[in-house]
Amino acid sequence: MSFTEKTVDGADIMLAVSSLTKSFGEVSVLKGISFSLNKGEVLAIIGSSGSGKTTLLRCLNYLEIPDGGKISVSGTEYFSIDSGVPKEAEIRERRLHMGLVFQSFNLFPQYTVKANLLLAAKLIEQEKLKKRLNNREIDKAQYKEEKARTAEMLIQKADSLLSRVGLSDKADSYPCQLSGGQQQRAAIARALMLEPDILCFDEPTSALDPELTGEVLNVIRSLKGKDSTMIVVTHEMEFARNVADRVIYMADGVIAEEGSAAEVFENPQSEALRAFLGAAKRK
């Protein structure tokens, strides 16, 4: 997809969310969420439990279907209530633009760490090859050659990512043999295998013991750069202050305040945000 949207300073808009709403029964969880995210930025989303943070991430990843609003990625429509709910095949394809790292790791326990990284990537590449074969862009001999070549490339890529997150020595281990911090680092590497446009983290350290939190946050911090666009829902205020380019404070399903990390943490405008930050300091 080509970058067609620009901010006023010329930076690329990777994600644009407009008037997003979501209800569960009579409970309105998202009440018109609008924001944009530039390529290479890290956005931290903070707020109390029940403020809508996780629901927002789930809507961005098509794990929930919004009731209203629009989402675009790189200037191309990703979701619009006016266009209706896309078919399942379209949803699977669009999800590739987003990577989501869950609170509870969600690794497949019956597979090794490396196999967890390779599963989805192999399926996606095989689907592409089968489509080319069915369209007669390649013949059966070329299909076999490219399948083998792609498999080797994916193994090298998995090895590189495991090294990047400090798990080279755990490639053949099973999730049950890893600490919580190691499992979460494996989950991050798995998300990176698919090269998403935007990498989302939903409270990535909430299931970890305090002594393991630092190793996961260090990996996320190491990913920051012009080619990594990230959204991090977090309760780690110091991390958000030091790593995020921008911060959104959500309360009762709306964006109550947003700005640079310095603006939000050093000059909160509302009593609600001041109280939230004060409570976070006391924990």
Side-chain angles (χ1 to χ4, degrees), residues 8-95:
V8 291
D9 62 358
D12 295 313
I13 293 181
M14 179 63 79
L15 175 69
V17 177
S18 177
S19 303
L20 204 67
T21 60
K22 179 64 182 178
S23 296
F24 296 98
E26 296 182 356
V27 179
S28 180
V29 179
L30 300 180
K31 305 173 182 177
I33 300 295
S34 299
F35 68 94
S36 63
L37 180 63
N38 292 340
K39 183 181 181 184
E41 280 189 329
V42 178
L43 172 67
I45 303 179
I46 62 174
S48 302
S49 297
S51 60
K53 307 183 303 296
T54 292
T55 298
L56 173 57
L57 280 194
R58 289 179 65 84
C59 285
L60 292 178
N61 284 271
Y62 268 107
L63 297 177
E64 302 288 350
I65 303 298
D67 298 322
K70 295 181 179 180
I71 304 171
S72 65
V73 178
S74 300
T76 298
E77 182 180 291
Y78 180 78
F79 170 83
S80 173
I81 195 62
D82 297 331
S83 301
V85 179
K87 296 178 180 178
E88 186 59 35
E90 294 175 307
I91 288 176
R92 288 199 304 269
E93 184 175 347
R94 294 181 189 187
R95 278 182 182 150

Coordinates of all heavy atoms in Angstrom, one line a residue, residues 8-95:
V8 N 0.9 17.5 8.9 CA 1.2 18.9 8.5 C 2.8 19.1 8.4 O 3.2 19.9 7.6 CB 0.7 19.9 9.5 CG1 -0.8 20.0 9.4 CG2 1.1 19.6 10.9
D9 N 3.5 18.3 9.1 CA 5.0 18.4 9.0 C 5.6 17.5 8.0 O 6.8 17.4 7.8 CB 5.6 18.2 10.4 CG 5.4 16.8 10.9 OD1 4.7 16.0 10.3 OD2 5.9 16.5 12.0
G10 N 4.7 16.8 7.2 CA 5.2 15.9 6.1 C 5.4 14.5 6.5 O 5.8 13.7 5.7
A11 N 5.2 14.1 7.8 CA 5.4 12.8 8.2 C 4.3 11.9 7.7 O 3.2 12.3 7.5 CB 5.5 12.7 9.8
D12 N 4.6 10.6 7.5 CA 3.6 9.7 7.0 C 2.6 9.3 8.2 O 3.1 9.0 9.3 CB 4.2 8.4 6.5 CG 5.1 8.7 5.3 OD1 4.7 9.4 4.4 OD2 6.3 8.2 5.3
I13 N 1.3 9.4 7.9 CA 0.3 8.9 8.8 C 0.2 7.4 8.5 O -0.3 7.0 7.5 CB -1.0 9.6 8.7 CG1 -0.9 11.0 9.1 CG2 -2.1 8.9 9.5 CD1 -2.2 11.8 9.0
M14 N 0.6 6.6 9.5 CA 0.4 5.1 9.4 C -1.0 4.7 9.7 O -1.5 3.8 9.0 CB 1.5 4.4 10.2 CG 1.4 2.9 10.2 SD 1.8 2.2 8.6 CE 3.6 2.3 8.6
L15 N -1.5 5.3 10.7 CA -2.9 4.9 11.2 C -3.7 6.1 11.5 O -3.3 7.0 12.1 CB -2.7 4.1 12.5 CG -4.0 3.6 13.2 CD1 -4.8 2.6 12.4 CD2 -3.7 3.1 14.6
A16 N -4.9 6.0 11.0 CA -5.9 7.1 11.2 C -7.2 6.5 11.7 O -7.8 5.6 11.0 CB -6.2 7.9 10.0
V17 N -7.7 6.8 12.9 CA -8.9 6.3 13.5 C -9.9 7.5 13.6 O -9.5 8.5 14.2 CB -8.6 5.6 14.9 CG1 -9.9 5.2 15.5 CG2 -7.6 4.5 14.7
S18 N -11.1 7.3 13.2 CA -12.1 8.4 13.2 C -13.4 7.9 13.8 O -14.0 6.9 13.2 CB -12.3 8.9 11.8 OG -13.3 9.9 11.8
S19 N -13.8 8.5 14.9 CA -15.2 8.3 15.5 C -15.5 6.8 15.7 O -16.6 6.4 15.4 CB -16.2 8.9 14.5 OG -16.0 10.3 14.3
L20 N -14.5 6.1 16.2 CA -14.7 4.6 16.4 C -15.6 4.4 17.6 O -15.4 5.0 18.7 CB -13.4 4.0 16.6 CG -13.3 2.5 16.3 CD1 -13.5 2.3 14.8 CD2 -12.0 1.9 16.7
T21 N -16.6 3.6 17.4 CA -17.5 3.2 18.5 C -17.7 1.7 18.7 O -17.6 1.0 17.7 CB -18.9 3.8 18.3 OG1 -19.5 3.3 17.1 CG2 -18.9 5.3 18.3
K22 N -17.9 1.3 19.9 CA -18.2 -0.1 20.1 C -19.0 -0.3 21.4 O -18.6 0.3 22.5 CB -16.8 -0.9 20.3 CG -17.0 -2.4 20.5 CD -17.7 -3.1 19.4 CE -17.9 -4.6 19.7 NZ -18.7 -5.3 18.6
S23 N -20.0 -1.1 21.3 CA -20.9 -1.4 22.5 C -21.0 -2.9 22.7 O -21.0 -3.6 21.7 CB -22.3 -0.7 22.4 OG -22.2 0.7 22.3
F24 N -21.2 -3.3 23.9 CA -21.5 -4.7 24.2 C -22.9 -4.7 24.9 O -23.0 -4.3 26.1 CB -20.5 -5.3 25.1 CG -19.1 -5.4 24.4 CD1 -18.1 -4.5 24.6 CD2 -18.8 -6.5 23.5 CE1 -16.9 -4.6 24.0 CE2 -17.6 -6.6 22.9 CZ -16.6 -5.6 23.1
G25 N -23.9 -5.1 24.2 CA -25.3 -4.9 24.7 C -25.6 -3.4 24.9 O -25.4 -2.6 23.9
E26 N -26.0 -3.1 26.1 CA -26.3 -1.7 26.3 C -25.1 -0.9 26.9 O -25.3 0.3 27.2 CB -27.5 -1.6 27.3 CG -28.8 -2.2 26.8 CD -29.9 -2.1 27.8 OE1 -29.7 -1.6 28.9 OE2 -31.1 -2.5 27.4
V27 N -24.0 -1.6 27.0 CA -22.8 -0.9 27.6 C -22.0 -0.3 26.4 O -21.4 -1.1 25.6 CB -22.0 -1.9 28.4 CG1 -20.7 -1.2 29.0 CG2 -22.8 -2.5 29.5
S28 N -21.8 1.0 26.4 CA -21.0 1.6 25.4 C -19.6 1.7 25.9 O -19.3 2.3 26.9 CB -21.5 3.1 25.2 OG -20.8 3.7 24.2
V29 N -18.7 1.0 25.2 CA -17.3 0.9 25.7 C -16.4 1.9 25.0 O -15.5 2.5 25.6 CB -16.7 -0.5 25.4 CG1 -15.3 -0.6 25.9 CG2 -17.6 -1.5 26.2
L30 N -16.5 2.1 23.7 CA -15.8 3.1 22.9 C -16.8 4.1 22.4 O -17.8 3.8 21.7 CB -15.1 2.5 21.7 CG -14.0 1.5 22.1 CD1 -13.3 1.0 20.8 CD2 -12.9 2.0 23.0
K31 N -16.6 5.4 22.7 CA -17.6 6.5 22.4 C -17.1 7.5 21.5 O -17.0 8.7 21.8 CB -18.0 7.1 23.8 CG -18.5 6.1 24.8 CD -18.8 6.7 26.1 CE -19.2 5.7 27.2 NZ -19.4 6.3 28.5
G32 N -16.6 7.1 20.3 CA -16.2 8.0 19.3 C -14.7 8.4 19.4 O -14.3 9.5 19.6
I33 N -13.9 7.3 19.3 CA -12.4 7.5 19.4 C -11.8 7.9 18.1 O -12.0 7.3 17.1 CB -11.8 6.1 19.8 CG1 -12.3 5.6 21.2 CG2 -10.2 6.2 19.9 CD1 -12.0 6.5 22.3
S34 N -11.0 9.0 18.2 CA -10.3 9.5 17.0 C -8.9 9.9 17.3 O -8.6 10.6 18.3 CB -11.0 10.8 16.4 OG -12.4 10.5 16.0
F35 N -8.0 9.4 16.5 CA -6.6 9.8 16.7 C -5.8 9.3 15.4 O -6.3 8.5 14.6 CB -5.9 9.1 17.9 CG -5.8 7.6 17.9 CD1 -4.6 7.0 17.5 CD2 -6.8 6.8 18.3 CE1 -4.5 5.7 17.5 CE2 -6.7 5.4 18.2 CZ -5.5 4.9 17.8
S36 N -4.6 9.8 15.3 CA -3.7 9.3 14.2 C -2.3 9.0 14.8 O -2.0 9.5 15.9 CB -3.6 10.4 13.1 OG -3.0 11.6 13.6
L37 N -1.6 8.2 14.0 CA -0.3 7.7 14.4 C 0.7 7.8 13.3 O 0.4 7.2 12.2 CB -0.4 6.3 15.0 CG 0.9 5.6 15.5 CD1 1.4 6.4 16.7 CD2 0.6 4.2 15.9
N38 N 1.8 8.5 13.4 CA 2.7 8.6 12.3 C 3.6 7.3 12.2 O 3.9 6.7 13.2 CB 3.6 9.8 12.5 CG 2.9 11.1 12.4 OD1 1.8 11.1 11.8 ND2 3.4 12.2 12.9
K39 N 4.1 7.1 11.1 CA 5.1 6.0 10.9 C 6.3 6.2 11.8 O 6.9 7.3 11.9 CB 5.5 5.9 9.4 CG 6.4 4.7 9.1 CD 6.9 4.7 7.7 CE 7.8 3.5 7.4 NZ 8.3 3.5 6.0
G40 N 6.7 5.1 12.5 CA 7.8 5.2 13.3 C 7.6 5.7 14.7 O 8.5 5.7 15.6
E41 N 6.3 6.1 15.0 CA 6.0 6.6 16.4 C 5.7 5.4 17.3 O 5.2 4.4 16.9 CB 4.8 7.5 16.3 CG 5.2 8.9 15.9 CD 4.0 9.9 16.1 OE1 2.9 9.5 16.0 OE2 4.3 11.1 16.4
V42 N 5.9 5.7 18.6 CA 5.4 4.8 19.7 C 4.3 5.5 20.4 O 4.5 6.6 20.9 CB 6.5 4.4 20.6 CG1 5.9 3.5 21.8 CG2 7.6 3.7 19.9
L43 N 3.1 5.0 20.4 CA 1.9 5.5 21.1 C 1.7 4.7 22.4 O 1.4 3.5 22.2 CB 0.7 5.6 20.2 CG -0.6 6.0 20.9 CD1 -0.6 7.4 21.3 CD2 -1.8 5.7 19.9
A44 N 1.7 5.3 23.5 CA 1.3 4.6 24.8 C -0.2 5.0 25.1 O -0.5 6.2 25.0 CB 2.2 5.0 25.9
I45 N -1.0 4.0 25.4 CA -2.4 4.3 25.9 C -2.5 3.9 27.3 O -2.2 2.7 27.7 CB -3.4 3.5 25.0 CG1 -3.2 3.8 23.5 CG2 -4.8 3.7 25.5 CD1 -4.1 3.0 22.6
I46 N -2.8 4.8 28.1 CA -2.9 4.6 29.6 C -4.4 4.9 30.0 O -5.2 5.5 29.3 CB -1.9 5.5 30.4 CG1 -2.2 7.0 30.1 CG2 -0.5 5.2 29.9 CD1 -1.4 7.9 31.0
G47 N -4.7 4.4 31.2 CA -6.0 4.6 31.8 C -6.4 3.5 32.7 O -5.8 2.4 32.7
S48 N -7.4 3.7 33.5 CA -7.9 2.7 34.4 C -8.5 1.5 33.7 O -8.9 1.6 32.6 CB -8.9 3.4 35.4 OG -8.3 4.5 36.1
S49 N -8.6 0.4 34.5 CA -9.3 -0.7 33.9 C -10.8 -0.3 33.6 O -11.4 0.4 34.4 CB -9.3 -1.9 35.0 OG -8.0 -2.3 35.2
G50 N -11.2 -0.8 32.5 CA -12.6 -0.5 32.0 C -12.7 0.8 31.2 O -13.8 1.1 30.8
S51 N -11.6 1.4 30.9 CA -11.7 2.7 30.2 C -11.8 2.4 28.7 O -12.1 3.4 27.9 CB -10.4 3.5 30.5 OG -9.2 2.8 30.1
G52 N -11.6 1.2 28.2 CA -11.8 0.9 26.8 C -10.5 0.6 26.0 O -10.5 0.4 24.8
K53 N -9.3 0.6 26.7 CA -8.0 0.5 26.1 C -7.9 -0.9 25.3 O -7.6 -0.9 24.1 CB -6.9 0.5 27.1 CG -6.9 1.7 28.0 CD -5.8 1.8 29.0 CE -5.6 0.6 29.9 NZ -6.8 0.4 30.8
T54 N -8.2 -2.0 26.0 CA -8.1 -3.3 25.3 C -9.1 -3.4 24.2 O -8.8 -4.0 23.1 CB -8.3 -4.4 26.4 OG1 -7.1 -4.4 27.2 CG2 -8.3 -5.8 25.7
T55 N -10.3 -2.9 24.4 CA -11.3 -3.0 23.3 C -10.9 -2.3 22.1 O -11.1 -2.7 21.0 CB -12.7 -2.5 23.8 OG1 -13.2 -3.3 24.9 CG2 -13.7 -2.5 22.7
L56 N -10.2 -1.1 22.3 CA -9.7 -0.4 21.2 C -8.7 -1.2 20.4 O -8.8 -1.3 19.2 CB -9.1 0.9 21.6 CG -8.3 1.8 20.6 CD1 -9.2 2.1 19.4 CD2 -7.7 3.0 21.2
L57 N -7.8 -1.9 21.1 CA -6.8 -2.7 20.4 C -7.5 -3.9 19.7 O -7.1 -4.2 18.6 CB -5.8 -3.3 21.4 CG -4.6 -2.4 21.9 CD1 -3.5 -3.2 22.6 CD2 -4.0 -1.6 20.7
R58 N -8.5 -4.5 20.3 CA -9.1 -5.6 19.7 C -9.9 -5.2 18.4 O -10.0 -5.9 17.5 CB -10.1 -6.2 20.7 CG -9.4 -7.0 21.8 CD -10.3 -7.6 22.8 NE -11.2 -8.7 22.2 CZ -10.8 -9.9 22.0 NH1 -9.6 -10.3 22.4 NH2 -11.6 -10.8 21.5
C59 N -10.4 -4.0 18.4 CA -11.1 -3.4 17.2 C -10.0 -3.2 16.1 O -10.3 -3.5 15.0 CB -11.8 -2.1 17.5 SG -13.4 -2.4 18.5
L60 N -8.9 -2.7 16.5 CA -7.8 -2.4 15.5 C -7.3 -3.7 14.9 O -6.9 -3.7 13.7 CB -6.7 -1.7 16.2 CG -6.9 -0.3 16.6 CD1 -5.7 0.3 17.3 CD2 -7.3 0.6 15.4
N61 N -7.4 -4.8 15.6 CA -7.0 -6.1 15.1 C -8.1 -7.0 14.6 O -7.9 -8.2 14.4 CB -6.2 -6.8 16.3 CG -4.8 -6.3 16.5 OD1 -3.8 -6.7 15.8 ND2 -4.7 -5.3 17.3
Y62 N -9.3 -6.5 14.5 CA -10.4 -7.2 14.0 C -10.8 -8.4 14.9 O -11.4 -9.4 14.4 CB -10.2 -7.7 12.5 CG -10.7 -6.8 11.5 CD1 -9.8 -6.0 10.7 CD2 -12.1 -6.6 11.2 CE1 -10.3 -5.1 9.7 CE2 -12.5 -5.7 10.3 CZ -11.7 -5.0 9.5 OH -12.1 -4.1 8.6
L63 N -10.4 -8.3 16.1 CA -10.9 -9.3 17.1 C -12.3 -8.9 17.6 O -13.0 -9.8 18.2 CB -9.9 -9.5 18.3 CG -8.5 -10.0 17.8 CD1 -7.6 -10.0 19.0 CD2 -8.6 -11.4 17.2
E64 N -12.6 -7.7 17.5 CA -14.0 -7.2 17.6 C -14.3 -6.3 16.4 O -13.4 -5.7 15.9 CB -14.1 -6.3 18.9 CG -13.7 -7.0 20.2 CD -14.7 -8.0 20.6 OE1 -15.8 -8.1 20.0 OE2 -14.4 -8.8 21.6
I65 N -15.5 -6.3 16.0 CA -16.0 -5.5 14.9 C -16.6 -4.2 15.4 O -17.5 -4.3 16.2 CB -17.0 -6.2 14.0 CG1 -16.4 -7.5 13.5 CG2 -17.4 -5.3 12.8 CD1 -15.2 -7.4 12.6
P66 N -16.0 -3.0 15.1 CA -16.6 -1.8 15.6 C -18.0 -1.6 15.2 O -18.5 -2.2 14.1 CB -15.7 -0.7 15.0 CG -14.4 -1.4 14.7 CD -14.8 -2.8 14.3
D67 N -18.8 -0.8 15.9 CA -20.2 -0.5 15.6 C -20.2 0.7 14.6 O -21.2 0.9 13.9 CB -21.0 -0.2 16.8 CG -21.1 -1.4 17.7 OD1 -21.2 -2.6 17.2 OD2 -21.0 -1.3 18.9
G68 N -19.2 1.5 14.7 CA -19.2 2.7 13.8 C -17.8 3.3 13.7 O -16.9 2.9 14.5
G69 N -17.6 4.2 12.8 CA -16.3 4.9 12.6 C -15.5 4.3 11.4 O -16.0 3.5 10.6
K70 N -14.3 4.8 11.3 CA -13.4 4.4 10.2 C -12.0 4.2 10.7 O -11.6 4.9 11.7 CB -13.4 5.5 9.1 CG -14.8 5.7 8.4 CD -14.7 6.8 7.3 CE -16.0 6.9 6.6 NZ -15.9 8.0 5.6
I71 N -11.3 3.3 10.1 CA -9.9 3.1 10.3 C -9.2 3.0 9.0 O -9.7 2.3 8.1 CB -9.6 1.8 11.1 CG1 -10.4 1.8 12.4 CG2 -8.2 1.6 11.4 CD1 -10.4 0.4 13.1
S72 N -8.1 3.7 8.8 CA -7.3 3.6 7.6 C -5.8 3.3 8.0 O -5.4 3.7 9.1 CB -7.3 4.8 6.8 OG -6.7 5.9 7.4
V73 N -5.2 2.5 7.2 CA -3.7 2.2 7.4 C -3.0 2.6 6.2 O -3.3 2.2 5.1 CB -3.5 0.6 7.7 CG1 -2.1 0.3 7.9 CG2 -4.3 0.2 9.0
S74 N -2.0 3.4 6.4 CA -1.2 4.0 5.2 C -2.1 4.6 4.2 O -1.9 4.5 3.0 CB -0.4 2.8 4.6 OG 0.5 2.3 5.5
G75 N -3.2 5.2 4.6 CA -4.1 5.9 3.7 C -5.1 5.0 3.0 O -5.9 5.6 2.2
T76 N -5.1 3.7 3.2 CA -6.0 2.8 2.6 C -7.0 2.3 3.6 O -6.7 2.1 4.8 CB -5.2 1.6 2.0 OG1 -4.3 2.0 1.0 CG2 -6.2 0.6 1.4
E77 N -8.3 2.2 3.2 CA -9.3 1.8 4.1 C -9.1 0.5 4.7 O -8.8 -0.5 4.0 CB -10.7 1.8 3.4 CG -11.9 1.5 4.3 CD -13.2 1.5 3.5 OE1 -13.6 2.5 3.1 OE2 -13.7 0.4 3.4
Y78 N -9.1 0.4 6.0 CA -8.9 -0.8 6.8 C -10.3 -1.3 7.3 O -10.6 -2.4 7.3 CB -7.9 -0.5 7.9 CG -7.6 -1.7 8.8 CD1 -6.7 -2.7 8.4 CD2 -8.1 -1.8 10.1 CE1 -6.4 -3.7 9.2 CE2 -7.8 -2.8 10.9 CZ -7.0 -3.8 10.5 OH -6.6 -4.8 11.4
F79 N -11.1 -0.3 7.8 CA -12.4 -0.6 8.3 C -13.3 0.7 8.1 O -12.8 1.8 8.3 CB -12.5 -1.0 9.8 CG -13.9 -1.0 10.3 CD1 -14.7 -2.1 10.1 CD2 -14.4 0.1 11.0 CE1 -16.0 -2.1 10.6 CE2 -15.7 0.1 11.4 CZ -16.5 -1.0 11.3
S80 N -14.5 0.5 7.6 CA -15.4 1.6 7.6 C -16.8 1.0 7.7 O -17.2 0.1 7.0 CB -15.4 2.3 6.2 OG -16.4 3.3 6.1
I81 N -17.6 1.6 8.6 CA -18.9 1.1 8.9 C -19.8 1.2 7.6 O -20.7 0.5 7.4 CB -19.6 1.8 10.1 CG1 -20.8 1.0 10.5 CG2 -19.9 3.2 9.8 CD1 -20.6 -0.4 11.0
D82 N -19.4 2.2 6.8 CA -20.2 2.5 5.6 C -20.0 1.4 4.5 O -20.9 1.1 3.7 CB -19.8 3.8 4.9 CG -20.1 5.0 5.8 OD1 -21.0 4.9 6.6 OD2 -19.3 6.0 5.8
S83 N -18.8 0.7 4.6 CA -18.6 -0.4 3.7 C -19.1 -1.7 4.2 O -19.0 -2.7 3.4 CB -17.0 -0.5 3.4 OG -16.6 0.7 2.9
G84 N -19.5 -1.8 5.4 CA -20.0 -3.0 6.0 C -18.9 -3.9 6.5 O -17.7 -3.6 6.3
V85 N -19.3 -5.0 7.1 CA -18.3 -5.9 7.7 C -17.7 -6.7 6.6 O -18.4 -7.4 5.8 CB -18.9 -6.9 8.7 CG1 -17.9 -7.8 9.3 CG2 -19.5 -6.1 9.9
P86 N -16.3 -6.7 6.4 CA -15.7 -7.5 5.4 C -15.9 -9.0 5.6 O -16.1 -9.5 6.7 CB -14.2 -7.1 5.4 CG -14.1 -6.6 6.8 CD -15.4 -6.0 7.2
K87 N -15.7 -9.8 4.5 CA -15.7 -11.2 4.6 C -14.5 -11.8 5.4 O -13.5 -11.1 5.6 CB -15.7 -11.9 3.2 CG -17.0 -11.5 2.4 CD -16.9 -12.1 1.0 CE -18.2 -11.7 0.2 NZ -18.1 -12.3 -1.1
E88 N -14.6 -13.0 5.9 CA -13.6 -13.6 6.8 C -12.2 -13.6 6.1 O -11.2 -13.3 6.7 CB -14.0 -15.0 7.2 CG -13.0 -15.6 8.2 CD -12.9 -14.8 9.5 OE1 -14.0 -14.2 9.9 OE2 -11.8 -14.8 10.1
A89 N -12.2 -13.9 4.8 CA -10.9 -13.9 4.1 C -10.3 -12.5 4.1 O -9.1 -12.4 4.2 CB -11.1 -14.4 2.7
E90 N -11.1 -11.5 3.9 CA -10.6 -10.1 3.9 C -10.2 -9.7 5.3 O -9.1 -9.0 5.4 CB -11.7 -9.2 3.4 CG -12.2 -9.3 2.0 CD -13.3 -8.5 1.6 OE1 -14.4 -8.5 2.3 OE2 -13.2 -7.7 0.6
I91 N -10.9 -10.2 6.3 CA -10.4 -9.9 7.7 C -9.1 -10.5 7.9 O -8.2 -9.8 8.5 CB -11.5 -10.4 8.7 CG1 -12.7 -9.5 8.6 CG2 -10.9 -10.4 10.1 CD1 -13.9 -10.0 9.5
R92 N -8.9 -11.7 7.5 CA -7.6 -12.4 7.7 C -6.5 -11.6 7.0 O -5.4 -11.4 7.6 CB -7.6 -13.8 7.2 CG -8.4 -14.8 8.1 CD -8.1 -16.2 7.8 NE -8.2 -16.6 6.4 CZ -9.3 -17.0 5.9 NH1 -10.4 -17.2 6.6 NH2 -9.3 -17.4 4.6
E93 N -6.7 -11.1 5.8 CA -5.7 -10.4 5.1 C -5.4 -9.1 5.8 O -4.3 -8.6 5.9 CB -6.2 -10.2 3.7 CG -5.1 -9.5 2.8 CD -5.6 -9.4 1.3 OE1 -6.6 -10.1 1.0 OE2 -4.9 -8.7 0.6
R94 N -6.5 -8.4 6.2 CA -6.3 -7.1 6.8 C -5.6 -7.2 8.2 O -4.8 -6.3 8.6 CB -7.6 -6.4 7.0 CG -8.3 -6.0 5.7 CD -9.6 -5.3 5.9 NE -10.3 -5.1 4.6 CZ -11.4 -4.4 4.4 NH1 -11.9 -3.8 5.4 NH2 -12.0 -4.4 3.2
R95 N -5.8 -8.3 8.9 CA -5.1 -8.5 10.2 C -3.6 -8.5 10.0 O -2.9 -8.3 11.0 CB -5.6 -9.8 10.8 CG -6.9 -9.7 11.6 CD -7.3 -11.0 12.2 NE -8.5 -11.0 12.9 CZ -9.3 -12.0 13.0 NH1 -9.0 -13.2 12.5 NH2 -10.5 -11.9 13.6

